[in-house]
Amino acid sequence: SMATASQQVIDRMARQIVDLLE
Amino acid sequence: HREQVRSIAVPVFACSDDRPGLGLRLTEAVHKEIQRRLPYRVVPGGSADSRLIGRVLGAYKDVIGETRNDDPRTLQLQLAVEVTWTDMRTQKVLA
C-alpha cells in the first residue's frame, strides 16, 4: 500500500541517519 | 570520543513540509534503529550526554510511471533531512 511504501522510505532514511552515528 | 558517549537524546525532528506526522514517524524510526544497532541509551533531552537534532527540509513525491490509462503506477518519494549530533558535555559536533 502507499502507507507501507512511504514507511519503507522513512525506515531507509532512519538507517542512513544512524549510519552517521556508528 | 564516541566511545565515551553512553546516551543520546533524539527530540522530534522539525519538519518544514506539511505532511502530517512525517517528522514524528522519522524520529520514531531513528529511535528504533539506534536501539537495534548501537550501544547508546535513548533518553529524554536533559539527561543525555549527546543529542541528535534533525530537521526534515523537504519531502518530494513524483509520478515516475503510469498505467496505459494515465493513472499513477510508480511513485518516487524523496526525503531531504539535515541532522547534527553533538556531544553535550563538550559541545563538540560529532557528526
Side-chain angles (χ1 to χ4, degrees):
Chain A
S1 72
M2 288 290 291
T4 305
S6 69
Q7 188 62 46
Q8 285 174 357
V9 174
I10 288 169
D11 290 342
R12 189 168 165 188
M13 175 58 87
R15 286 198 294 276
Q16 289 184 28
I17 290 169
V18 173
D19 285 346
L20 298 171
L21 311 187
E22 285 191 321
Chain B
H1 42 249
R2 295 183 183 205
E3 289 72 23
Q4 296 164 5
V5 172
R6 291 170 178 271
S7 60
I8 182 169
V10 187
V12 176
F13 286 15
C15 185
S16 44
D17 191 274
D18 59 3
R19 282 172 212 278
L22 178 58
L24 180 60
R25 286 169 69 195
L26 180 57
T27 309
E28 288 172 345
V30 169
H31 279 211
K32 282 184 196 157
E33 192 67 10
I34 291 171
Q35 286 163 345
R36 195 170 72 79
R37 282 169 50 190
L38 301 178
Y40 313 141
R41 279 181 304 116
V42 180
V43 298
S47 56
D49 55 28
S50 72
R51 184 182 293 173
L52 182 73
I53 298 295
R55 193 157 60 102
V56 180
L57 305 175
Y60 315 99
K61 193 177 277 184
D62 302 299
V63 176
I64 57 172
E66 297 181 333
T67 67
R68 69 181 71 175
N69 299 317
D70 297 333
D71 293 317
R73 180 175 196 158
T74 308
L75 296 160
Q76 175 172 268
L77 173 60
Q78 298 184 68
L79 298 179
V81 179
E82 179 183 82
V83 293
T84 308
W85 184 32
T86 307
D87 188 322
M88 297 312 292
R89 299 158 300 186
T90 61
Q91 300 304 312
K92 195 170 179 180
V93 174
L94 301 172

